[in-house]
Structure formats: C-alpha cells, structure tokens
Amino acid sequence: MDAKQKVLLVDDDPLIVQIYSGLLEQAGFEVEAVPTGKEAIARLKDQPPDAVLLDLNLGKENGLDVL
C-alpha cells in the first residue's frame, strides 16, 4: 500500500484552507494546514512535506519570508 503524499497548506484564510484542503484530500493527498509563516517554517524543519502550497500574503511573515 502506497503512503499518501503530504501537502503543507500555508494560508491564514479559513475559507481558502477549507476549499483547498477538500480538493487536495479528494485527489488523494494528506493535507496539513497552518495559518502563519512561523508555523510553516517549524513544520518544514520538523516534518518536511512532499509539497507546499504557500500564500504569499500572510500576516507578520509573508510567503517570501518562508521561502
């Protein structure tokens, strides 16, 4: 059995997170969502995903800071 590929979704808009999470999960991905750049950086260090979907307009740390 193949493990699901993991996607880290970084967005501070709950509606966007809900839409993208639903679509990605329907496509067979495991999705983890975080609302801040700081949390994204921590997750990337601890548990690197297979892909990242990153909003460039976040609060304190914007998407470019995360990159």
Short mmCIF file of all heavy atoms in Angstrom, two decimals:
data_model
loop_
_atom_site.label_atom_id
_atom_site.label_comp_id
_atom_site.label_asym_id
_atom_site.label_seq_id
_atom_site.Cartn_x
_atom_site.Cartn_y
_atom_site.Cartn_z
N MET A 1 0.84 -1.18 0.00
CA MET A 1 0.00 0.00 0.00
C MET A 1 0.89 1.25 0.00
O MET A 1 1.79 1.37 0.81
CB MET A 1 -0.90 -0.02 1.23
CG MET A 1 -1.75 1.23 1.36
SD MET A 1 -2.68 1.28 2.88
CE MET A 1 -4.21 0.59 2.31
N ASP A 2 0.64 2.15 -0.91
CA ASP A 2 1.42 3.37 -1.01
C ASP A 2 0.93 4.40 0.01
O ASP A 2 -0.27 4.56 0.20
CB ASP A 2 1.31 3.98 -2.41
CG ASP A 2 1.98 3.12 -3.46
OD1 ASP A 2 2.97 2.46 -3.11
OD2 ASP A 2 1.51 3.10 -4.61
N ALA A 3 1.88 5.09 0.63
CA ALA A 3 1.52 6.16 1.56
C ALA A 3 1.07 7.38 0.78
O ALA A 3 1.55 7.64 -0.33
CB ALA A 3 2.72 6.50 2.43
N LYS A 4 0.15 8.12 1.35
CA LYS A 4 -0.32 9.34 0.70
C LYS A 4 0.78 10.38 0.71
O LYS A 4 1.53 10.49 1.68
CB LYS A 4 -1.54 9.91 1.43
CG LYS A 4 -2.79 9.11 1.27
CD LYS A 4 -3.94 9.83 1.95
CE LYS A 4 -5.25 9.10 1.75
NZ LYS A 4 -6.37 9.83 2.37
N GLN A 5 0.85 11.14 -0.37
CA GLN A 5 1.80 12.25 -0.39
C GLN A 5 1.25 13.37 0.49
O GLN A 5 0.04 13.63 0.50
CB GLN A 5 2.02 12.73 -1.81
CG GLN A 5 2.78 11.74 -2.64
CD GLN A 5 3.13 12.29 -4.00
OE1 GLN A 5 2.48 13.18 -4.51
NE2 GLN A 5 4.17 11.75 -4.58
N LYS A 6 2.15 14.05 1.19
CA LYS A 6 1.75 15.09 2.15
C LYS A 6 1.93 16.47 1.54
O LYS A 6 2.95 16.76 0.92
CB LYS A 6 2.58 14.98 3.42
CG LYS A 6 2.36 13.68 4.15
CD LYS A 6 3.23 13.58 5.37
CE LYS A 6 3.08 12.21 6.00
NZ LYS A 6 3.95 12.04 7.16
N VAL A 7 0.93 17.32 1.76
CA VAL A 7 0.96 18.71 1.31
C VAL A 7 0.81 19.60 2.53
O VAL A 7 -0.09 19.40 3.35
CB VAL A 7 -0.18 18.99 0.31
CG1 VAL A 7 -0.20 20.46 -0.07
CG2 VAL A 7 -0.04 18.13 -0.93
N LEU A 8 1.70 20.57 2.65
CA LEU A 8 1.58 21.58 3.70
C LEU A 8 0.92 22.80 3.07
O LEU A 8 1.44 23.38 2.12
CB LEU A 8 2.95 21.96 4.26
CG LEU A 8 2.94 23.06 5.33
CD1 LEU A 8 2.16 22.62 6.56
CD2 LEU A 8 4.36 23.45 5.70
N LEU A 9 -0.24 23.17 3.58
CA LEU A 9 -1.01 24.31 3.09
C LEU A 9 -0.81 25.46 4.07
O LEU A 9 -1.14 25.33 5.26
CB LEU A 9 -2.49 23.93 2.98
CG LEU A 9 -3.49 24.99 2.61
CD1 LEU A 9 -3.12 25.65 1.29
CD2 LEU A 9 -4.88 24.40 2.54
N VAL A 10 -0.26 26.56 3.59
CA VAL A 10 0.03 27.71 4.45
C VAL A 10 -0.85 28.87 3.98
O VAL A 10 -0.61 29.47 2.94
CB VAL A 10 1.51 28.11 4.37
CG1 VAL A 10 1.81 29.22 5.39
CG2 VAL A 10 2.42 26.92 4.58
N ASP A 11 -1.89 29.15 4.77
CA ASP A 11 -2.82 30.24 4.43
C ASP A 11 -3.55 30.66 5.69
O ASP A 11 -3.91 29.82 6.51
CB ASP A 11 -3.81 29.78 3.36
CG ASP A 11 -4.40 30.95 2.60
OD1 ASP A 11 -4.90 31.90 3.25
OD2 ASP A 11 -4.37 30.92 1.37
N ASP A 12 -3.78 31.96 5.83
CA ASP A 12 -4.47 32.47 7.01
C ASP A 12 -5.97 32.69 6.79
O ASP A 12 -6.67 33.14 7.68
CB ASP A 12 -3.81 33.76 7.50
CG ASP A 12 -3.72 34.82 6.42
OD1 ASP A 12 -4.07 34.54 5.27
OD2 ASP A 12 -3.27 35.94 6.74
N ASP A 13 -6.48 32.34 5.63
CA ASP A 13 -7.90 32.50 5.32
C ASP A 13 -8.59 31.14 5.47
O ASP A 13 -8.35 30.23 4.67
CB ASP A 13 -8.06 33.01 3.89
CG ASP A 13 -9.50 33.29 3.51
OD1 ASP A 13 -10.41 32.66 4.08
OD2 ASP A 13 -9.71 34.14 2.62
N PRO A 14 -9.46 30.98 6.48
CA PRO A 14 -10.10 29.69 6.73
C PRO A 14 -10.91 29.16 5.54
O PRO A 14 -10.94 27.95 5.31
CB PRO A 14 -11.02 29.95 7.92
CG PRO A 14 -10.52 31.20 8.54
CD PRO A 14 -9.84 31.99 7.46
N LEU A 15 -11.54 30.03 4.78
CA LEU A 15 -12.31 29.58 3.62
C LEU A 15 -11.40 28.98 2.55
O LEU A 15 -11.69 27.91 1.99
CB LEU A 15 -13.12 30.73 3.03
CG LEU A 15 -13.96 30.38 1.79
CD1 LEU A 15 -14.98 29.29 2.12
CD2 LEU A 15 -14.65 31.61 1.25
N ILE A 16 -10.28 29.63 2.29
CA ILE A 16 -9.31 29.11 1.32
C ILE A 16 -8.76 27.77 1.79
O ILE A 16 -8.64 26.82 1.00
CB ILE A 16 -8.17 30.12 1.09
CG1 ILE A 16 -8.70 31.42 0.49
CG2 ILE A 16 -7.06 29.52 0.23
CD1 ILE A 16 -9.30 31.28 -0.89
N VAL A 17 -8.45 27.67 3.07
CA VAL A 17 -7.93 26.41 3.62
C VAL A 17 -8.96 25.30 3.44
O VAL A 17 -8.63 24.19 3.02
CB VAL A 17 -7.55 26.58 5.11
CG1 VAL A 17 -7.28 25.23 5.76
CG2 VAL A 17 -6.36 27.51 5.25
N GLN A 18 -10.21 25.61 3.72
CA GLN A 18 -11.27 24.61 3.58
C GLN A 18 -11.41 24.15 2.13
O GLN A 18 -11.50 22.96 1.85
CB GLN A 18 -12.60 25.19 4.08
CG GLN A 18 -13.75 24.22 4.01
CD GLN A 18 -15.05 24.83 4.49
OE1 GLN A 18 -15.15 26.03 4.72
NE2 GLN A 18 -16.05 24.00 4.65
N ILE A 19 -11.41 25.08 1.20
CA ILE A 19 -11.56 24.74 -0.22
C ILE A 19 -10.40 23.90 -0.72
O ILE A 19 -10.59 22.82 -1.29
CB ILE A 19 -11.72 26.02 -1.07
CG1 ILE A 19 -13.05 26.69 -0.76
CG2 ILE A 19 -11.59 25.70 -2.55
CD1 ILE A 19 -13.19 28.09 -1.34
N TYR A 20 -9.18 24.39 -0.51
CA TYR A 20 -8.01 23.67 -1.00
C TYR A 20 -7.83 22.32 -0.30
O TYR A 20 -7.48 21.33 -0.94
CB TYR A 20 -6.74 24.50 -0.85
CG TYR A 20 -6.55 25.51 -1.95
CD1 TYR A 20 -6.64 26.87 -1.71
CD2 TYR A 20 -6.26 25.10 -3.26
CE1 TYR A 20 -6.47 27.80 -2.72
CE2 TYR A 20 -6.08 26.02 -4.27
CZ TYR A 20 -6.19 27.37 -4.00
OH TYR A 20 -6.02 28.28 -5.01
N SER A 21 -8.06 22.27 1.00
CA SER A 21 -7.93 21.01 1.73
C SER A 21 -8.89 19.97 1.18
O SER A 21 -8.50 18.81 0.94
CB SER A 21 -8.20 21.21 3.22
OG SER A 21 -7.21 21.97 3.82
N GLY A 22 -10.13 20.37 0.96
CA GLY A 22 -11.11 19.44 0.43
C GLY A 22 -10.72 18.91 -0.94
O GLY A 22 -10.81 17.70 -1.20
N LEU A 23 -10.30 19.80 -1.81
CA LEU A 23 -9.91 19.39 -3.16
C LEU A 23 -8.68 18.47 -3.14
O LEU A 23 -8.64 17.47 -3.86
CB LEU A 23 -9.64 20.61 -4.04
CG LEU A 23 -10.86 21.46 -4.38
CD1 LEU A 23 -10.44 22.76 -5.05
CD2 LEU A 23 -11.81 20.67 -5.28
N LEU A 24 -7.69 18.83 -2.33
CA LEU A 24 -6.48 18.02 -2.27
C LEU A 24 -6.75 16.65 -1.65
O LEU A 24 -6.22 15.63 -2.12
CB LEU A 24 -5.39 18.76 -1.49
CG LEU A 24 -4.78 19.95 -2.20
CD1 LEU A 24 -3.98 20.82 -1.23
CD2 LEU A 24 -3.89 19.49 -3.35
N GLU A 25 -7.58 16.61 -0.61
CA GLU A 25 -7.91 15.33 0.01
C GLU A 25 -8.71 14.44 -0.95
O GLU A 25 -8.48 13.24 -1.01
CB GLU A 25 -8.66 15.56 1.32
CG GLU A 25 -7.75 16.09 2.40
CD GLU A 25 -8.47 16.57 3.66
OE1 GLU A 25 -9.73 16.60 3.67
OE2 GLU A 25 -7.78 16.91 4.63
N GLN A 26 -9.61 15.04 -1.73
CA GLN A 26 -10.36 14.27 -2.73
C GLN A 26 -9.41 13.70 -3.78
O GLN A 26 -9.67 12.64 -4.34
CB GLN A 26 -11.40 15.15 -3.41
CG GLN A 26 -12.62 15.42 -2.58
CD GLN A 26 -13.62 16.32 -3.30
OE1 GLN A 26 -13.41 16.74 -4.44
NE2 GLN A 26 -14.71 16.62 -2.62
N ALA A 27 -8.33 14.41 -4.05
CA ALA A 27 -7.34 13.95 -5.04
C ALA A 27 -6.38 12.93 -4.45
O ALA A 27 -5.50 12.43 -5.14
CB ALA A 27 -6.56 15.14 -5.59
N GLY A 28 -6.52 12.62 -3.15
CA GLY A 28 -5.72 11.56 -2.55
C GLY A 28 -4.52 12.02 -1.75
O GLY A 28 -3.68 11.21 -1.38
N PHE A 29 -4.43 13.31 -1.46
CA PHE A 29 -3.31 13.83 -0.68
C PHE A 29 -3.67 13.92 0.80
O PHE A 29 -4.82 14.10 1.16
CB PHE A 29 -2.92 15.23 -1.16
CG PHE A 29 -2.35 15.27 -2.54
CD1 PHE A 29 -3.16 15.54 -3.63
CD2 PHE A 29 -1.01 15.03 -2.76
CE1 PHE A 29 -2.65 15.57 -4.92
CE2 PHE A 29 -0.48 15.05 -4.04
CZ PHE A 29 -1.30 15.32 -5.12
N GLU A 30 -2.65 13.81 1.63
CA GLU A 30 -2.80 14.10 3.05
C GLU A 30 -2.45 15.57 3.22
O GLU A 30 -1.39 16.01 2.76
CB GLU A 30 -1.84 13.23 3.87
CG GLU A 30 -1.91 13.46 5.35
CD GLU A 30 -0.93 12.59 6.11
OE1 GLU A 30 -0.61 11.48 5.65
OE2 GLU A 30 -0.46 13.04 7.16
N VAL A 31 -3.32 16.35 3.87
CA VAL A 31 -3.13 17.80 3.96
C VAL A 31 -2.97 18.22 5.41
O VAL A 31 -3.74 17.81 6.27
CB VAL A 31 -4.34 18.55 3.34
CG1 VAL A 31 -4.16 20.05 3.48
CG2 VAL A 31 -4.53 18.16 1.89
N GLU A 32 -1.96 19.05 5.65
CA GLU A 32 -1.81 19.71 6.94
C GLU A 32 -1.83 21.20 6.65
O GLU A 32 -1.13 21.68 5.75
CB GLU A 32 -0.49 19.34 7.61
CG GLU A 32 -0.32 20.05 8.94
CD GLU A 32 0.98 19.71 9.64
OE1 GLU A 32 1.80 18.97 9.08
OE2 GLU A 32 1.18 20.22 10.75
N ALA A 33 -2.63 21.94 7.40
CA ALA A 33 -2.75 23.38 7.18
C ALA A 33 -2.25 24.14 8.40
O ALA A 33 -2.52 23.76 9.54
CB ALA A 33 -4.21 23.75 6.90
N VAL A 34 -1.50 25.19 8.15
CA VAL A 34 -1.05 26.10 9.19
C VAL A 34 -1.32 27.53 8.74
O VAL A 34 -1.25 27.83 7.56
CB VAL A 34 0.46 25.91 9.53
CG1 VAL A 34 0.71 24.54 10.12
CG2 VAL A 34 1.33 26.14 8.33
N PRO A 35 -1.65 28.43 9.69
CA PRO A 35 -2.05 29.78 9.31
C PRO A 35 -0.93 30.82 9.27
O PRO A 35 -1.15 31.93 8.79
CB PRO A 35 -3.07 30.16 10.40
CG PRO A 35 -2.59 29.41 11.60
CD PRO A 35 -2.00 28.12 11.07
N THR A 36 0.26 30.49 9.77
CA THR A 36 1.32 31.50 9.83
C THR A 36 2.62 31.01 9.21
O THR A 36 2.88 29.80 9.14
CB THR A 36 1.62 31.91 11.29
OG1 THR A 36 2.21 30.79 11.96
CG2 THR A 36 0.39 32.40 12.02
N GLY A 37 3.42 31.96 8.80
CA GLY A 37 4.73 31.64 8.27
C GLY A 37 5.62 31.00 9.31
O GLY A 37 6.41 30.09 9.01
N LYS A 38 5.51 31.46 10.55
CA LYS A 38 6.32 30.91 11.64
C LYS A 38 6.02 29.43 11.85
O LYS A 38 6.95 28.62 11.98
CB LYS A 38 6.05 31.69 12.93
CG LYS A 38 6.90 31.30 14.09
CD LYS A 38 6.64 32.19 15.29
CE LYS A 38 7.54 31.82 16.44
NZ LYS A 38 7.36 32.70 17.60
N GLU A 39 4.74 29.07 11.84
CA GLU A 39 4.37 27.67 11.99
C GLU A 39 4.82 26.85 10.77
O GLU A 39 5.23 25.70 10.91
CB GLU A 39 2.86 27.52 12.17
CG GLU A 39 2.37 28.00 13.51
CD GLU A 39 0.87 27.86 13.65
OE1 GLU A 39 0.40 26.71 13.75
OE2 GLU A 39 0.18 28.89 13.65
N ALA A 40 4.75 27.44 9.60
CA ALA A 40 5.18 26.75 8.39
C ALA A 40 6.66 26.42 8.45
O ALA A 40 7.07 25.31 8.12
CB ALA A 40 4.87 27.60 7.16
N ILE A 41 7.46 27.39 8.87
CA ILE A 41 8.90 27.18 8.97
C ILE A 41 9.21 26.06 9.96
O ILE A 41 10.04 25.19 9.70
CB ILE A 41 9.62 28.49 9.34
CG1 ILE A 41 9.52 29.48 8.18
CG2 ILE A 41 11.07 28.23 9.73
CD1 ILE A 41 9.94 30.90 8.51
N ALA A 42 8.51 26.05 11.10
CA ALA A 42 8.71 25.00 12.09
C ALA A 42 8.35 23.63 11.53
O ALA A 42 9.08 22.65 11.71
CB ALA A 42 7.89 25.29 13.34
N ARG A 43 7.22 23.54 10.83
CA ARG A 43 6.80 22.26 10.23
C ARG A 43 7.78 21.79 9.16
O ARG A 43 8.07 20.61 9.04
CB ARG A 43 5.42 22.38 9.61
CG ARG A 43 4.30 22.52 10.57
CD ARG A 43 3.97 21.17 11.22
NE ARG A 43 2.72 21.27 11.94
CZ ARG A 43 2.64 21.44 13.25
NH1 ARG A 43 3.73 21.52 13.98
NH2 ARG A 43 1.47 21.50 13.84
N LEU A 44 8.28 22.73 8.37
CA LEU A 44 9.22 22.36 7.31
C LEU A 44 10.50 21.80 7.88
O LEU A 44 11.11 20.90 7.29
CB LEU A 44 9.50 23.58 6.42
CG LEU A 44 8.35 24.00 5.52
CD1 LEU A 44 8.62 25.37 4.93
CD2 LEU A 44 8.12 22.98 4.43
N LYS A 45 10.91 22.31 9.02
CA LYS A 45 12.13 21.80 9.67
C LYS A 45 11.90 20.44 10.30
O LYS A 45 12.76 19.56 10.22
CB LYS A 45 12.61 22.78 10.73
CG LYS A 45 13.21 24.04 10.16
CD LYS A 45 13.66 24.99 11.26
CE LYS A 45 14.23 26.26 10.67
NZ LYS A 45 14.63 27.22 11.72
N ASP A 46 10.74 20.27 10.96
CA ASP A 46 10.47 19.04 11.70
C ASP A 46 9.95 17.90 10.84
O ASP A 46 10.37 16.76 11.00
CB ASP A 46 9.45 19.31 12.82
CG ASP A 46 10.01 20.21 13.91
OD1 ASP A 46 11.24 20.30 14.03
OD2 ASP A 46 9.20 20.82 14.64
N GLN A 47 8.99 18.21 9.97
CA GLN A 47 8.33 17.17 9.19
C GLN A 47 8.15 17.65 7.75
O GLN A 47 7.07 18.10 7.37
CB GLN A 47 6.96 16.85 9.78
CG GLN A 47 7.00 16.41 11.22
CD GLN A 47 5.62 16.43 11.86
OE1 GLN A 47 4.64 16.83 11.26
NE2 GLN A 47 5.56 16.00 13.10
N PRO A 48 9.19 17.60 6.94
CA PRO A 48 9.09 18.12 5.57
C PRO A 48 8.01 17.38 4.76
O PRO A 48 7.99 16.16 4.74
CB PRO A 48 10.47 17.87 4.97
CG PRO A 48 11.36 17.51 6.10
CD PRO A 48 10.50 17.05 7.23
N PRO A 49 7.12 18.12 4.12
CA PRO A 49 6.09 17.50 3.29
C PRO A 49 6.63 17.22 1.89
O PRO A 49 7.75 17.60 1.55
CB PRO A 49 5.01 18.59 3.23
CG PRO A 49 5.80 19.85 3.30
CD PRO A 49 6.95 19.57 4.22
N ASP A 50 5.80 16.60 1.07
CA ASP A 50 6.17 16.37 -0.33
C ASP A 50 5.99 17.63 -1.16
O ASP A 50 6.68 17.82 -2.16
CB ASP A 50 5.33 15.23 -0.91
CG ASP A 50 5.62 13.91 -0.20
OD1 ASP A 50 6.78 13.46 -0.26
OD2 ASP A 50 4.70 13.36 0.43
N ALA A 51 5.05 18.49 -0.75
CA ALA A 51 4.78 19.73 -1.48
C ALA A 51 4.25 20.78 -0.51
O ALA A 51 3.73 20.45 0.55
CB ALA A 51 3.77 19.50 -2.58
N VAL A 52 4.41 22.05 -0.89
CA VAL A 52 3.92 23.17 -0.09
C VAL A 52 3.08 24.07 -0.98
O VAL A 52 3.51 24.44 -2.08
CB VAL A 52 5.09 24.00 0.51
CG1 VAL A 52 4.56 25.18 1.31
CG2 VAL A 52 5.98 23.13 1.38
N LEU A 53 1.89 24.41 -0.49
CA LEU A 53 1.04 25.39 -1.15
C LEU A 53 1.04 26.60 -0.24
O LEU A 53 0.53 26.55 0.87
CB LEU A 53 -0.37 24.83 -1.33
CG LEU A 53 -1.35 25.69 -2.09
CD1 LEU A 53 -0.83 26.02 -3.49
CD2 LEU A 53 -2.69 24.97 -2.20
N LEU A 54 1.66 27.69 -0.70
CA LEU A 54 2.01 28.82 0.16
C LEU A 54 1.36 30.11 -0.30
O LEU A 54 1.54 30.54 -1.44
CB LEU A 54 3.54 28.97 0.16
CG LEU A 54 4.17 30.11 0.91
CD1 LEU A 54 3.89 30.01 2.40
CD2 LEU A 54 5.67 30.10 0.65
N ASP A 55 0.62 30.74 0.61
CA ASP A 55 0.05 32.06 0.36
C ASP A 55 1.17 33.09 0.54
O ASP A 55 1.90 33.06 1.53
CB ASP A 55 -1.07 32.33 1.37
CG ASP A 55 -1.74 33.67 1.20
OD1 ASP A 55 -1.43 34.40 0.23
OD2 ASP A 55 -2.60 34.01 2.05
N LEU A 56 1.32 33.98 -0.40
CA LEU A 56 2.39 34.99 -0.30
C LEU A 56 1.99 36.17 0.58
O LEU A 56 2.84 36.94 1.01
CB LEU A 56 2.78 35.48 -1.69
CG LEU A 56 3.44 34.43 -2.58
CD1 LEU A 56 3.78 35.04 -3.93
CD2 LEU A 56 4.68 33.85 -1.94
N ASN A 57 0.69 36.33 0.87
CA ASN A 57 0.22 37.45 1.68
C ASN A 57 -0.24 36.97 3.04
O ASN A 57 -1.43 36.89 3.33
CB ASN A 57 -0.93 38.17 0.97
CG ASN A 57 -0.50 38.81 -0.31
OD1 ASN A 57 0.54 39.46 -0.34
ND2 ASN A 57 -1.26 38.63 -1.36
N LEU A 58 0.71 36.65 3.90
CA LEU A 58 0.40 36.23 5.26
C LEU A 58 0.55 37.43 6.20
O LEU A 58 0.85 38.53 5.76
CB LEU A 58 1.34 35.11 5.69
CG LEU A 58 1.21 33.80 4.91
CD1 LEU A 58 2.37 32.87 5.25
CD2 LEU A 58 -0.10 33.13 5.20
N GLY A 59 0.38 37.20 7.49
CA GLY A 59 0.50 38.27 8.47
C GLY A 59 1.90 38.81 8.63
O GLY A 59 2.44 39.45 7.74
N LYS A 60 2.55 38.50 9.75
CA LYS A 60 3.88 39.02 10.04
C LYS A 60 4.93 38.51 9.05
O LYS A 60 5.64 39.29 8.44
CB LYS A 60 4.31 38.62 11.46
CG LYS A 60 3.54 39.33 12.52
CD LYS A 60 4.05 38.94 13.90
CE LYS A 60 3.27 39.66 14.98
NZ LYS A 60 3.76 39.31 16.31
N GLU A 61 5.04 37.20 8.93
CA GLU A 61 5.98 36.62 7.97
C GLU A 61 5.20 36.37 6.69
O GLU A 61 4.26 35.61 6.67
CB GLU A 61 6.55 35.28 8.46
CG GLU A 61 7.19 35.31 9.81
CD GLU A 61 6.21 35.11 10.94
OE1 GLU A 61 5.06 34.74 10.71
OE2 GLU A 61 6.61 35.35 12.09
N ASN A 62 5.60 37.01 5.60
CA ASN A 62 4.88 36.73 4.36
C ASN A 62 5.46 35.48 3.69
O ASN A 62 6.43 34.90 4.17
CB ASN A 62 4.91 37.94 3.42
CG ASN A 62 6.29 38.30 2.92
OD1 ASN A 62 7.09 37.43 2.63
ND2 ASN A 62 6.56 39.58 2.82
N GLY A 63 4.84 35.06 2.62
CA GLY A 63 5.26 33.85 1.93
C GLY A 63 6.71 33.90 1.47
O GLY A 63 7.40 32.89 1.45
N LEU A 64 7.17 35.06 1.09
CA LEU A 64 8.56 35.19 0.65
C LEU A 64 9.53 34.94 1.80
O LEU A 64 10.61 34.40 1.60
CB LEU A 64 8.81 36.55 0.02
CG LEU A 64 8.03 36.79 -1.29
CD1 LEU A 64 8.28 38.21 -1.80
CD2 LEU A 64 8.41 35.78 -2.35
N ASP A 65 9.14 35.35 3.01
CA ASP A 65 9.98 35.08 4.18
C ASP A 65 10.09 33.56 4.41
O ASP A 65 11.14 33.07 4.79
CB ASP A 65 9.40 35.72 5.44
CG ASP A 65 9.45 37.24 5.38
OD1 ASP A 65 10.33 37.79 4.69
OD2 ASP A 65 8.60 37.88 6.04
N VAL A 66 9.01 32.85 4.19
CA VAL A 66 9.02 31.41 4.37
C VAL A 66 9.92 30.76 3.33
O VAL A 66 10.69 29.86 3.63
CB VAL A 66 7.59 30.82 4.28
CG1 VAL A 66 7.61 29.30 4.35
CG2 VAL A 66 6.71 31.39 5.39
N LEU A 67 9.84 31.24 2.09
CA LEU A 67 10.70 30.69 1.04
C LEU A 67 12.16 30.92 1.38
O LEU A 67 13.01 30.11 1.17
CB LEU A 67 10.41 31.33 -0.31
CG LEU A 67 9.11 30.88 -0.97
CD1 LEU A 67 8.90 31.68 -2.26
CD2 LEU A 67 9.17 29.41 -1.29
#
